[in-house]
Amino acid sequence: MNYTTQLDAAKKGIITEEMNVVAAKEDIEVDLLLSKIASGEVVIPANKNHEALSPEGVGAGLRTKINVNLGVSRDCNNVDAELEKAKKAIEMKAESIMDLSSYGKTFEFRNRLIGISTAMIGTVPVYDALGYYDKDLKDITPSEFIKIVERHAQDGVDFMTIHAGINRETAEIFKRNERLLNIVSRGGSLLYTWMELNDKENPFYEYFDDILDICAEYDVTISLGDALRPGCISDSTDACQIKELITLGELAKRAYEKNVQVIIEGPGHMRLNEIEANVLLEKKLCHGAPFYVLGPIVTDIAPGYDHITSAIGGAIAAASGADFLCYVTPAEHLRLPTIEDMKEGIIASKIAAHAADLAKGIRNAEKWDNAMSYARKKLDWDEMFRLAIDPEKAKRYRSESLPHDSETCTMCGNMCAVRNMNRVITGEDVSLL
């Protein structure tokens, strides 16, 4: 039996090669995975032209996945440096990389990235349009925007952020509801500006069916972008954000009808006490589609430390049911991240994702923690380093301050509770001198 996309296959009861791979990674029954894909609760972003891909599932009941953003810009146009970041992200087991390149002819970088990446690749086609056509935003035609989508699909992109929720109707809501920080989404601001300059409907909304046809042909998962996501605590959960979320839910239904897999993108900056309710709203309004959040960043006062503010929000969001975390680095709001910034962002996001998986009871999540606890009980430092989420940093910290007793650390020394309890329980002498 033939099928066009993973969603089409699932609806027809066909188990694909990608489903088998994901089921094995997640240690779940493939029939259960198939049913979740058929319902739209899980997606497997896997473009037919991405040959290097090791597929991952995103959605309900699966491990929380993380995404790493990178790409060239006008001020930092170093393709090789960005590719090195991508290689490091893959080495650190990030499941997804988004190419947010916004300058020049990005075809070469995108294709080199797809060629080496076992991680799924996402893009935001509207970013590419300005450099690709080398003309003012106002002068780009709707058909040219759609051609960029098609080019990315042909190149092998697994999922694309499409800002179709900011249409003329949601734009009017934005105009009537004053915000402290207006529109902070790069794609959202570009399309709002295009609509205002041309007095026309958002082409990604007006020609949404054409985009769905492209996605269905290459099995591109559509990530419905949150153009009106809150960019500061003051704007969170406002009328603009919720109106767009309702629109995204309507667009998701249209995508399902054409067998296109859907992810919904979410906030943004948000108070701690609003996160759980926002996840519930997305799941209700968007038919259980996987929720992909940037952070959420839970306070606006920590430039230089936003990997921490983001990890706090990400852990709460994922524990509440969000499925996919977009990492944030210490450089957020300040500059393009370096490879060291990227590493810190990945570690922070992976900690948040794993903490949430423990809370959600994801299968096998606790095995890792229990193995670490057993290694600590035995004071097996090599095993602790092997199990650490960042072995390099753990080894460096210990080597910088070695204890007199190699079993202990320089924090407690002879008063090490673990060492002394091991000895007293086995009847050994415990000497603190």
Side-chain angles (χ1 to χ4, degrees), residues 164-420:
I166 183 163
N167 55 15
R168 299 295 289 271
E169 186 178 4
T170 53
E172 286 303 314
I173 297 293
F174 166 71
K175 292 175 184 177
R176 295 201 302 269
N177 291 269
E178 184 178 356
R179 280 182 151 187
L180 176 60
L181 206 50
N182 294 317
I183 298 174
V184 300
S185 159
R186 196 186 335 175
S189 66
L190 289 171
L191 287 167
Y192 179 84
T193 301
W194 188 94
M195 287 191 289
E196 290 293 294
L197 292 174
N198 289 285
D199 193 25
K200 290 182 179 179
E201 182 58 275
N202 175 1
F204 289 94
Y205 179 80
E206 185 173 2
Y207 299 99
F208 190 64
D209 285 333
D210 294 338
I211 293 170
L212 293 177
D213 289 340
I214 293 167
C215 291
E217 181 178 354
Y218 297 92
D219 199 1
V220 175
T221 298
I222 195 164
S223 189
L224 289 170
D226 51 338
L228 293 173
R229 69 173 180 266
C232 64
I233 297 301
S234 177
D235 296 338
S236 63
T237 321
D238 68 353
C240 308
Q241 178 196 334
I242 301 306
K243 171 59 179 173
E244 183 180 35
L245 188 62
I246 293 169
T247 303
L248 298 185
E250 294 169 349
L251 293 170
K253 285 183 71 174
R254 289 169 59 183
Y256 294 147
E257 289 167 3
K258 292 206 171 192
N259 293 321
V260 174
Q261 299 182 101
V262 175
I263 294 170
I264 304 295
E265 297 187 12
H269 293 235
M270 183 161 288
R271 298 171 186 84
L272 283 170
N273 61 311
E274 297 177 30
I275 294 173
E276 183 178 3
N278 270 263
V279 176
L280 177 63
L281 275 173
E282 183 276 338
K283 293 291 181 179
K284 287 285 188 181
L285 294 174
C286 299
H287 325 291
F291 198 22
Y292 173 31
V293 295
L294 177 70
I297 290 173
V298 295
T299 177
D300 299 329
I301 64 166
Y305 297 91
D306 276 327
H307 59 312
I308 297 173
T309 64
S310 171
I312 293 167
I316 294 170
S320 302
D323 310 284
F324 196 13
L325 304 181
C326 186
Y327 93 147
V328 171
T329 77
E332 184 77 7
H333 304 112
L334 301 172
R335 59 168 166 79
L336 190 77
T338 65
I339 195 164
E340 288 303 316
D341 295 330
M342 185 196 75
K343 287 168 63 177
E344 288 195 51
I346 289 173
I347 294 297
S349 295
K350 287 175 74 71
I351 292 169
H354 182 69
D357 288 349
L358 289 171
K360 288 189 283 192
I362 296 297
R363 184 177 294 187
N364 296 326
E366 195 170 333
K367 283 186 176 180
W368 188 2
D369 294 76
N370 291 344
M372 176 64 85
S373 297
Y374 186 63
R376 284 181 173 149
K377 179 181 179 180
K378 294 195 302 175
L379 295 168
D380 185 342
W381 293 95
D382 288 338
E383 181 67 357
M384 285 185 247
F385 297 148
R386 188 187 71 81
L387 291 165
I389 199 165
D390 185 358
E392 183 181 310
K393 188 171 186 178
K395 288 178 184 177
R396 176 167 58 83
Y397 271 37
R398 181 161 174 79
S399 68
E400 288 173 350
S401 184
L402 291 173
H404 176 73
D405 183 342
S406 62
E407 279 192 317
T408 68
C409 76
T410 53
M411 178 71 181
C412 298
N414 284 345
M415 289 188 285
C416 174
V418 175
R419 187 200 71 160
N420 294 337

